[in-house]
Amino acid sequence: MNSSFPALFKPGYIGSTWVRNRIVMAPMASNFAYTNGEVSEPQIAYYAARARGGVGLIIVEAACVTEDSGREGFGQLQISHPRYVIGLNRLNEAIKAYGSRTMIQLFHAGRQTSSEINGGQPVAPSPISCNITREEPHELTNLEVKQIINQFIAAARYADLAGFDGIELHAAHGYLINQFLSPHTNHRQDEYGGSLANRQRFLLEIITEIKEALPAMTISVRLNIDDFIPGGLQLDESLKVCKSLELAGVDIINCSSGTYESGLNSIEPASYEEGWRVYLAAAVKKVVNIPVITGGMIRHPEFANQVLQDKKADFIFFGRSLLADPQWPHKARHNQVKEIRPCISCNNCISNNFRGLGIRCTVNPFTGRESILDKDHKVRQPAHAIIVGGGPAGIQAALSLRRHGLEVTLYEKENRLGGFMNLAGIPPHKEQINAWRDYLLNELDKSGTEVIYPQEFTAATLEALRPEILIIATGSAAVHPDIEGCAVNTGVEAIEVLGGELDLTGQEVVIIGGGSTGCETADYLIGKAKGITIVEKEASLATDAERKNRRALLNRLSGAGVKTKTEVHVTEVMPNRVRIHHNETEEILATDQVIWATGFKPLSELHKLAQETTPYVFLIGDALQVRGFKEAVLEGEMLGNIITGLLN
């Protein structure tokens, strides 16, 4: 088949390693390893799924080269001892079984870790604390530097024994090698500090010794082309480092950026433009002859293909897109772009990692559960299920049950499917939710599910149909507290504003409730409303949002002059006024419109009615408990396993 993206699917070489296409799976920390650092079965299944999906090269996530000081988390791979080789070999073989080439990233956290994780003081080129981890590191002695270099060499040998085609040295994101390179973190006065020649010595000695020990080993370096922090490694110096890497025999440069301290430039929120850092790789391409990898927020095959055609890079790394859809490469190659499950840049994957848990994906319930959720186990006898509610939980339940062999009828009371996805995709930079909704609706259409809408499923419908299996995914409804004056002047709900039901252009508005719904409504009203004030009883805004997207959202609100009042209580809502209290102080806010964003309650009345008459009844999504899309989709998908188990 001729692909519409010939540059993306053109084979290429990295050193002597032939790669079937230009798609690289980025080395993303998954937290799937066992706590002793060994490869786990879920980890093997996770990587095998991406290889099966057609990725050209998989760079296995950061594996720590030391056992005493360099780990970033408890679920991190180790490559610091021969005992890890067996598991790494099994992982390597599982990937190669589907035709992908393999590298493994060699890693040392340096100062970006904690004594809680490693059982001892972090180490670094200089005793400068990271503003995020806030633990002063031990300054490495010259002898300790040499010992860590030897640990990198030993790790490369273990990677070779495990059968990997190559290794990648992690010299980005503020970890140890990057700390040596960056003048922000390296204040040494010996041969490893000061001039750029000295600061890059640590990295170059590692490369030289690996080349001497393993001359056939393919070597990649993941390099920060810009640290995006004052006094850090910047483009001009990084280009010089790139030239040195080529002279040292490195086979490919994997361009990245940002550190813990740089904020949003290493793991971007949804507000960043697709391919925003391609310019960094394009600059590297101009000074070296070896291949260059770019990536970051690249979602669409059309965009990736154009980057390659424009010769701004030679390979494209994909991260979150492959969490959302491991089959991304195959679907792109076969021109099935509409069938690619899109990443919505919600960052729940990395948010899980920040909590020390294995990564999960909002839109793909199988990510990290490849060895748990059974996609294909069929019911042994005919069965029919009725689903009430056409939001993400109900649609995912329909897809799961159809895949498991059940006949399914889905009822939706509104005149369109999608539930809260239709509103969630309206605020700025949430457009990918619309793409995900469209993907789900396309999958639902292909599944053969009988869909009936707009039609409310009532107690009378339940009595008439008497289903054997009933799934209630009726979602939630807006709710607000009992405040004096509400019965007279209730204002409007945030969901009405986002739904376009009224025009607030030129009006002063007060939003009661500063969670993510209230803040995103304010973001939506920027440039429309004359003035916006958010009132929140807690000390902080949008605490229910993922922290990268939260930071970007709050930055936009602040930059647009949105007023915020936290730790206040609304005591009365009057015509054109809202009375609030903070400690002993009272204030009256003038407003043209009050907008309620004070939460939601489950709509589960049907569940109570069905309990006595329906053999199998399930409550999922917000109808069970108000949370988010991630939980709704997971509960919908799990029903396939649960119901098949019950019926078989």
Side-chain angles (χ1 to χ4, degrees):
M1 170 178 282
N2 292 324
S3 174
S4 298
F5 316 108
L8 192 58
F9 291 97
K10 180 181 178 181
Y13 279 91
I14 301 173
S16 60
T17 301
W18 180 87
V19 184
R20 62 184 171 185
N21 57 47
R22 303 307 174 110
I23 299 172
V24 177
M25 180 178 175
M28 298 171 286
S30 69
N31 258 350
F32 291 157
Y34 293 126
T35 54
N36 64 0
E38 292 187 0
V39 173
S40 70
E41 291 302 321
Q43 201 160 31
I44 291 174
Y46 161 79
Y47 277 105
R50 275 78 199 164
R52 192 183 304 118
V55 171
L57 168 66
I58 290 180
I59 305 177
V60 171
E61 65 199 83
C64 190
V65 302
T66 67
E67 296 196 70
D68 57 352
S69 65
R71 287 203 302 172
E72 185 188 26
F74 294 113
Q76 185 172 22
L77 284 173
Q78 287 277 345
I79 192 167
S80 54
H81 191 278
R83 65 174 167 271
Y84 300 111
V85 171
I86 293 175
L88 291 170
N89 175 250
R90 291 176 60 223
L91 173 59
N92 177 68
E93 288 186 343
I95 296 170
K96 286 189 171 179
Y98 295 101
S100 296
R101 306 313 294 252
T102 59
M103 289 186 177
I104 186 167
Q105 191 179 73
L106 308 187
F107 168 95
H108 191 297
R111 69 177 191 157
Q112 287 188 172
T113 184
S114 69
S115 54
E116 181 181 12
I117 292 171
N118 288 289
Q121 186 180 13
V123 302
S126 302
I128 303 169
S129 300
C130 170
N131 290 339
I132 305 301
T133 58
R134 300 186 179 185
E135 188 168 348
E136 182 175 313
H138 160 70
E139 181 174 4
L140 291 164
T141 66
N142 191 280
L143 176 60
E144 289 168 332
V145 172
K146 300 292 186 184
Q147 289 172 338
I148 292 177
I149 290 173
N150 289 335
Q151 289 168 325
F152 271 98
I153 313 313
R157 292 182 184 275
Y158 302 145
D160 186 53
L161 284 172
F164 287 94
D165 296 305
I167 57 96
E168 178 170 272
L169 299 173
H170 199 333
H173 304 165
Y175 298 117
L176 185 65
I177 299 177
N178 178 252
Q179 290 163 30
F180 272 94
L181 289 168
S182 174
H184 175 70
T185 47
N186 186 347
H187 293 181
R188 297 175 73 92
Q189 299 300 314
D190 62 5
E191 68 266 35
Y192 292 103
S195 66
L196 178 61
N198 284 351
R199 284 184 277 116
Q200 68 181 0
R201 189 183 306 277
F202 179 68
L203 171 58
L204 293 177
E205 286 186 358
I206 293 171
I207 294 166
T208 299
E209 295 198 31
I210 291 175
K211 296 294 290 185
E212 289 178 0
L214 301 162
M217 174 70 75
T218 300
I219 299 178
S220 169
V221 173
R222 189 164 212 198
L223 184 69
N224 261 14
I225 310 304
D226 197 325
D227 285 347
F228 290 118
I229 53 174
L233 190 66
Q234 296 179 355
L235 181 62
D236 56 344
E237 280 199 328
S238 291
L239 295 180
K240 295 175 183 177
V241 174
C242 291
K243 293 178 183 179
S244 298
L245 295 178
E246 182 173 25
L247 289 173
V250 166
D251 297 292
I252 193 166
I253 297 172
N254 189 353
C255 300
S256 196
S257 64
T259 72
Y260 280 13
E261 294 177 325
S262 69
L264 306 179
N265 301 105
S266 57
I267 303 169
E268 314 92 323
S271 55
Y272 277 50
E273 291 184 7
E274 182 168 18
W276 70 273
R277 26 177 187 189
V278 168
Y279 78 97
L280 297 172
V284 174
K285 278 282 293 175
K286 293 178 180 179
V287 301
V288 300
N289 295 310
I290 56 177
V292 171
I293 307 175
T294 192
M297 295 290 282
I298 294 180
R299 302 186 182 101
H300 300 99
E302 301 91 341
F303 188 96
N305 192 73
Q306 193 62 51
V307 168
L308 296 171
Q309 286 184 337
D310 292 343
K311 301 189 183 303
K312 293 179 179 178
D314 302 285
F315 291 83
I316 309 287
F317 74 74
F318 293 85
R320 288 166 283 185
S321 291
L322 292 174
L323 300 182
D325 197 336
Q327 291 287 316
W328 193 105
H330 276 329
K331 290 176 181 178
R333 184 173 183 271
H334 292 282
N335 304 315
Q336 298 169 337
V337 176
K338 281 183 62 177
E339 297 182 20
I340 293 175
R341 184 192 291 110
C343 168
I344 60 174
S345 299
C346 64
N347 283 346
N348 276 325
C349 47
I350 192 66
S351 181
N352 245 37
N353 194 288
F354 289 151
R355 295 196 298 271
L357 302 173
I359 57 173
R360 296 292 186 262
C361 178
T362 294
V363 301
N364 182 5
F366 294 96
T367 296
R369 303 184 184 93
E370 289 85 359
S371 59
I372 300 172
L373 292 175
D374 188 338
K375 287 185 177 181
D376 303 314
H377 189 200
K378 305 291 186 183
V379 289
R380 295 177 183 173
Q381 56 192 15
H384 181 259
I386 288 179
I387 300 172
V388 184
I395 293 173
Q396 191 67 44
L399 297 177
S400 178
L401 295 180
R402 287 294 295 148
R403 201 184 318 112
H404 285 269
L406 283 82
E407 294 297 319
V408 178
T409 301
L410 185 150
Y411 285 81
E412 168 56 48
K413 68 177 181 179
E414 303 295 339
N415 61 6
R416 62 174 177 167
L417 300 172
F420 274 163
M421 288 187 289
N422 294 316
L423 297 176
I426 291 173
H429 311 297
K430 304 293 288 290
E431 300 85 0
Q432 281 296 104
I433 293 177
N434 296 330
W436 174 46
R437 175 203 60 203
D438 293 345
Y439 162 83
L440 285 176
L441 295 180
N442 184 53
E443 292 297 299
L444 183 67
D445 184 59
K446 293 192 308 179
S447 73
T449 299
E450 181 186 15
V451 180
I452 301 174
Y453 74 100
Q455 183 169 324
E456 186 171 4
F457 192 96
T458 63
T461 316
L462 177 66
E463 177 63 26
L465 296 179
R466 291 190 171 271
E468 181 183 15
I469 303 168
L470 180 66
I471 295 100
I472 299 168
T474 43
S476 58
V479 63
H480 52 75
D482 185 15
I483 296 172
E484 185 178 349
C486 285
V488 177
N489 180 21
T490 58
V492 297
E493 303 293 345
I495 56 175
E496 295 178 82
V497 176
L498 294 174
E501 296 180 28
L502 65 164
D503 183 6
L504 299 178
T505 302
Q507 295 191 20
E508 291 278 351
V509 302
V510 170
I511 300 173
I512 301 177
S516 58
T517 299
C519 289
E520 287 178 1
T521 302
D523 197 18
Y524 168 75
L525 289 173
I526 290 172
K528 301 181 181 71
K530 179 181 177 182
I532 305 168
T533 302
I534 301 174
V535 176
E536 169 57 40
K537 66 179 181 179
E538 303 297 339
S540 301
L541 298 175
T543 56
D544 55 332
E546 179 276 325
R547 68 186 192 186
K548 295 280 187 177
N549 282 298
R550 173 181 181 268
R551 184 69 270 151
L553 172 60
L554 296 185
N555 287 346
R556 292 196 299 275
L557 297 184
S558 175
V562 173
K563 299 175 185 177
T564 60
K565 296 183 180 294
T566 55
E567 295 184 281
V568 301
H569 293 276
V570 178
T571 57
E572 186 178 5
V573 178
M574 301 166 282
N576 304 116
R577 289 180 294 169
V578 175
R579 189 190 306 275
I580 61 174
H581 277 80
H582 175 66
N583 295 330
E584 301 299 322
T585 304
E586 179 182 282
E587 183 179 0
I588 295 178
L589 306 176
T591 182
D592 297 311
Q593 186 63 262
V594 172
I595 301 172
W596 293 99
T598 47
F600 299 87
K601 64 178 180 180
L603 293 175
S604 56
E605 292 78 7
L606 186 60
H607 183 249
K608 300 169 187 175
L609 295 174
Q611 291 281 17
E612 296 181 3
T613 60
T614 308
Y616 300 108
V617 57
F618 302 90
L619 191 61
I620 62 173
D622 275 8
L624 173 63
Q625 181 183 346
V626 176
R627 290 150 299 162
F629 290 145
K630 180 172 66 173
E631 293 81 8
V633 169
L634 176 60
E635 289 166 5
E637 180 56 46
M638 287 194 304
L639 280 179
N641 277 14
I642 294 169
I643 292 174
T644 303
L646 288 172
L647 297 182
N648 287 352

